[in-house]
């Protein structure tokens, strides 16, 4: 059966409706309106961030849809962009790092060098003793390094800036 509800915001009332469709494989969300307003565009952007489409990862001729939360890091290796998942598997991506940066949630993923993006939730340890860089350990014991250019950004992102005492 269908369910109907209303979501009232300061800007516009939004009628929400659920319809069960037998045999439909995947859920589908359709937004209908007289015109696309700034508020509706903002709502669509928020929904896209909440439900990002999986990224196709290749191993030979086999493609696997990679969910964002399964990604440990994405990095360049030679002329390829690779993705490593928390279970240690590696996949070839047919995207550039700058394209991935736009797709991935910036609150969770950050660039640590020109050639690598990591999942901040996968960081298990940081070694700040190295001059000019940070040794970063991720889930599963994966070790990577923050390049000099990104050290300040990472320290700010992870709130590691030294505070003056006194």
């Amino acid at each position: 059966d269908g369910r109907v509800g209303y979501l009232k915001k300061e800007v516009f009332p939004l009628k929400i409706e659920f319809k069960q469709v037998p045999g439909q494989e995947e859920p589908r969300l359709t937004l209908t309106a007289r015109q696309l307003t700034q508020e509706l565009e903002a709502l669509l952007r928020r929904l896209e961030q909440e439900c990002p489409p999986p990224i196709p990862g290749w191993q030979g001729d086999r493609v696997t849809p990679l969910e964002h939360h399964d990604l440990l890091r994405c990095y360049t290796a030679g002329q390829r962009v690779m993705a490593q998942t928390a279970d240690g598997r590696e996949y070839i991506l047919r995207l550039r790092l700058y394209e991935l940066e736009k797709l991935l949630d910036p609150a969770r993923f950050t660039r640590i060098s020109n050639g690598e993006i990591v999942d901040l939730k996968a960081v298990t340890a940081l070694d700040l003793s190295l001059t000019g860089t940070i040794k970063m350990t991720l889930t599963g014991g994966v070790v990577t390094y923050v390049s000099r250019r990104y050290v300040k950004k990472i320290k700010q992102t992870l709130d590691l800036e030294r505070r003056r005492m006194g």
Side-chain angles (χ1 to χ4, degrees), residues 75-90:
Y75 62 97
T76 56
Q79 297 297 313
R80 294 188 164 161
V81 174
M82 305 293 292
Q84 184 174 6
T85 56
D87 62 8
R89 294 185 184 162
E90 293 186 320

Side-chain angles (χ1 to χ4, degrees), residues 36-150:
L36 185 60
T37 63
Q38 288 180 344
E39 294 83 13
L40 291 176
E41 279 188 77
L43 176 62
L44 289 171
R45 280 194 301 275
R46 285 198 315 267
L47 288 170
E48 284 174 344
Q49 287 177 343
E50 287 293 319
C51 309
I55 297 168
W58 297 83
Q59 291 176 319
D61 291 334
R62 186 172 169 227
V63 65
T64 302
L66 303 173
E67 297 297 335
H68 295 211
H69 59 85
D70 290 332
L71 297 174
L72 187 63
R73 66 190 191 119
C74 299
Y75 62 97
T76 56
Q79 297 297 313
R80 294 188 164 161
V81 174
M82 305 293 292
Q84 184 174 6
T85 56
D87 62 8
R89 294 185 184 162
E90 293 186 320
Y91 301 86
I92 296 170
L93 303 181
R94 293 186 178 171
L95 295 167
R96 301 278 132 235
L97 278 182
Y98 73 88
E99 293 170 320
L100 282 169
E101 217 169 10
K102 291 177 185 175
L103 290 174
L104 299 170
D105 178 3
R108 182 170 182 159
F109 292 90
T110 193
R111 192 179 279 254
I112 63 165
S113 70
N114 283 344
E116 188 165 2
I117 298 170
V118 298
D119 178 357
L120 293 171
K121 291 187 178 189
V123 175
T124 58
L126 297 168
D127 182 349
L128 305 173
S129 67
L130 303 171
T131 305
T133 190
I134 299 172
K135 178 181 174 183
M136 187 178 276
T137 306
L138 306 174
T139 303
V142 174
V143 174
T144 189
Y145 293 87
V146 177
S147 74
R148 289 178 186 269
R149 181 177 169 188
Y150 289 86

Side-chain angles (χ1 to χ4, degrees), residues 142-160:
V142 174
V143 174
T144 189
Y145 293 87
V146 177
S147 74
R148 289 178 186 269
R149 181 177 169 188
Y150 289 86
V151 166
K152 184 175 182 178
K153 174 189 161 197
I154 295 303
K155 283 183 175 182
Q156 289 171 341
T157 301
L158 298 175
D159 197 26
L160 299 174

